[in-house]
Amino acid sequence: MIVLKFHRAFSLTVIFILSSIMDGLAQDFDFNTNLQNAYNEITKLRLTHAKQLSGKESPNNGYKIWVDCLADAVNVYASENEAEYEKLVDKVDDALDVIDDLDTKAPQQRQLRAELKFYLALVQMKLGHETKAGMSVMSAYKLLEENKKLFPNYTANYKILGVIHVLIGSVPENYRWITRMLGLKGNIDQGIRELEIASQDKITGFEAKFFKLFIQSYILPINDKVRTEVNDFVQKHTDSELALFLGVAISEKDNKSDQAWKILQKVQNGNGYLPLPIFDFYTAEIYLQKGNYTKAESYYQAYLKKFKGHSFIKDSFYKLFIINYLNNESQQANSFLQNINQYGKKLSESDKAAQKFYDNYIKMKQLPNKNLLQARLAIDGGYYKEALS
């Protein structure tokens, strides 16, 4: 009888211990409702609120760590603050160490590590740390490909893997030997298909859809189907500054400034949203294309005052030069012309173009025909009748 009671007690103890272990493993990656809400707040660019929500969760929950790092990565990507970038690198390193010790049999273990590396790569690319970005992307790629073999039905892999496959497929033919040497495989069609699958996810589908539309508008030739998808995406997510930014950026690239203007009117200031000076820049672009130089100048100046990063700094000074050149303000125009060479970095295509304009002027001392310049600006905004006149 005593032996029977002992065995029963021992069995209950073993069951309790095993149950505790299993519960602990389940908690390693608990994407609960609160963290889902925090993630959704990040996609809206309400980062402070997202951090408040995630702060209620266990520091050893992989999804809590992922959400916190994503919020910080978005903040650094938007601000281009080098000091905050260094902090982000340390935070991601610490996060990777913690997640590395979590349940290795869970598909989220490699997926979340890969995503943190990929988010860091996006920031590194934005700040001009291209070699480090390349290494981060390769590391993310290897983790996701390994995860894909271990968990072939785990479609969450496809969100970032789809983007990486597009990037691999976008490498020019004469540089393909590099990707082959590094063991990187993938193509654009494969990546788009994977992003389409990932975009069906009820929680993280927004992010996959964002990447897909960005790629189809910037890397691939945009078409009417994609234009419709972008419009539907923006209309569905008017409370997301990220969706609004995508809509404005693609509309401007597609020479549809009136459409961009309508989207800009939906931007909410305050209410916990991350301030985005880039919206001032796009507003200035539209006014410049319309020929309202006074308004354009005020918004370019606002952008330069608010934004402490490097993107579109050279381009803004170039546009300020154009405004004053067209207004026959020669002294002021020359001042802005010199600023092109002194400020900002040559990372974005428009900043490279601004620097090239300055360099050509220094060599040739020639300025563009004013009528043709005004016509080109009108065309950029889709104001074709005004351009023709």
Side-chain angles (χ1 to χ4, degrees):
M1 189 70 175
I2 293 174
V3 173
L4 182 62
K5 287 183 178 180
F6 172 78
H7 279 299
R8 185 179 297 168
F10 179 75
S11 298
L12 290 171
T13 301
V14 170
I15 291 171
F16 174 77
I17 292 173
L18 290 175
S19 177
S20 298
I21 292 172
M22 294 305 293
D23 286 344
L25 291 177
Q27 293 301 313
D28 279 0
F29 300 103
D30 182 17
F31 200 22
N32 56 44
T33 302
N34 185 54
L35 284 173
Q36 290 177 21
N37 290 336
Y39 171 76
N40 287 333
E41 288 297 280
I42 294 174
T43 66
K44 297 175 184 178
L45 299 191
R46 287 166 47 92
L47 305 185
T48 301
H49 192 212
K51 283 293 193 73
Q52 290 171 348
L53 292 171
S54 68
K56 301 174 183 178
E57 303 298 325
S58 166
N60 293 319
N61 183 343
Y63 276 108
K64 182 261 195 297
I65 298 168
W66 172 74
V67 163
D68 284 347
C69 284
L70 175 56
D72 289 337
V74 169
N75 185 49
V76 178
Y77 188 92
S79 68
E80 299 180 3
N81 186 306
E82 284 283 354
E84 291 301 317
Y85 161 70
E86 296 298 335
K87 294 179 184 178
L88 176 66
V89 172
D90 291 338
K91 182 161 188 174
V92 169
D93 285 342
D94 292 340
L96 291 171
D97 288 340
V98 175
I99 297 177
D100 193 42
D101 291 333
L102 300 182
D103 184 10
T104 57
K105 294 182 180 179
Q108 296 93 335
Q109 201 257 15
R110 291 172 185 79
Q111 176 219 342
L112 296 186
R113 284 161 58 206
E115 293 200 5
L116 292 182
K117 290 173 181 287
F118 181 77
Y119 297 142
L120 181 61
L122 292 180
V123 175
Q124 289 168 330
M125 185 65 70
K126 184 85 177 294
L127 294 176
H129 306 305
E130 296 180 356
T131 302
K132 291 179 180 178
M135 293 174 65
S136 297
V137 169
M138 283 192 290
S139 183
Y141 168 84
K142 291 177 181 178
L143 281 168
L144 290 171
E145 286 290 356
E146 181 184 0
N147 215 35
K148 185 179 175 182
K149 292 178 182 177
L150 293 171
F151 308 98
N153 297 321
Y154 187 62
T155 57
N157 286 323
Y158 292 139
K159 181 180 63 178
I160 302 303
L161 199 53
V163 178
I164 296 176
H165 283 153
V166 170
L167 294 176
I168 295 170
S170 302
V171 173
E173 186 63 38
N174 55 327
Y175 289 102
R176 292 282 171 85
W177 63 271
I178 298 176
T179 59
R180 288 193 291 269
M181 183 181 68
L182 296 172
L184 302 176
K185 299 178 181 178
N187 57 68
I188 293 174
D189 289 339
Q190 176 187 5
I192 294 296
R193 287 195 303 270
E194 289 168 338
L195 285 169
E196 189 61 51
I197 293 171
S199 66
Q200 304 306 312
D201 187 277
K202 293 181 180 179
I203 307 300
T204 60
F206 173 97
E207 193 181 350
K209 190 75 170 180
F210 177 91
F211 285 135
K212 175 178 173 287
L213 293 175
F214 185 89
I215 287 167
Q216 290 178 314
S217 301
Y218 276 84
I219 296 179
L220 306 177
I222 193 169
N223 55 48
D224 287 340
K225 182 177 181 294
V226 174
R227 291 184 180 99
T228 299
E229 285 189 53
V230 171
N231 184 62
D232 291 344
F233 183 72
V234 172
Q235 295 305 318
K236 185 179 179 180
H237 301 286
T238 54
D239 61 341
S240 167
E241 282 202 349
L242 198 56
L244 297 179
F245 162 75
L246 182 70
V248 172
I250 291 176
S251 297
E252 275 293 286
K253 180 181 181 295
D254 200 27
N255 307 111
K256 297 184 184 300
S257 284
D258 281 346
Q259 180 174 292
W261 179 260
K262 291 177 182 177
I263 298 172
L264 280 168
Q265 307 317 300
K266 301 178 187 297
V267 174
Q268 301 183 48
N269 295 314
N271 198 26
Y273 285 93
L274 181 70
L276 289 182
I278 190 65
F279 287 134
D280 287 312
F281 176 83
Y282 280 125
T283 301
E285 293 280 277
I286 295 170
Y287 277 126
L288 176 61
Q289 291 157 1
K290 285 185 172 183
N292 189 332
Y293 301 138
T294 301
K295 284 279 191 180
E297 180 160 9
S298 68
Y299 276 98
Y300 282 123
Q301 293 284 19
Y303 176 73
L304 291 170
K305 182 178 180 180
K306 295 177 186 178
F307 187 57
K308 305 306 178 184
H310 58 74
S311 292
F312 306 127
I313 299 301
K314 289 183 180 294
D315 190 31
S316 292
F317 282 121
Y318 168 61
K319 300 297 175 49
L320 286 168
F321 156 76
I322 286 177
I323 290 168
N324 284 274
Y325 170 61
L326 293 175
N327 279 334
N328 298 313
E329 299 288 346
S330 301
Q331 185 174 353
Q332 191 70 2
N334 185 65
S335 177
F336 287 126
L337 184 63
Q338 299 307 315
N339 285 346
I340 296 173
N341 193 49
Q342 295 178 26
Y343 301 102
K345 296 181 180 180
K346 297 183 292 181
L347 295 178
S348 71
E349 290 304 314
S350 60
D351 285 325
K352 290 177 183 177
Q355 184 66 47
K356 184 177 181 180
F357 175 86
Y358 172 84
D359 293 340
N360 287 338
Y361 172 74
I362 294 301
K363 292 178 183 177
M364 309 298 293
K365 297 298 181 182
Q366 291 181 345
L367 292 175
N369 177 283
K370 291 184 178 181
N371 287 329
L372 293 179
L373 178 57
Q374 288 175 305
R376 195 206 75 197
L377 291 169
I379 290 171
D380 288 344
Y383 305 118
Y384 303 119
K385 290 182 179 179
E386 290 80 357
L388 185 61
S389 68

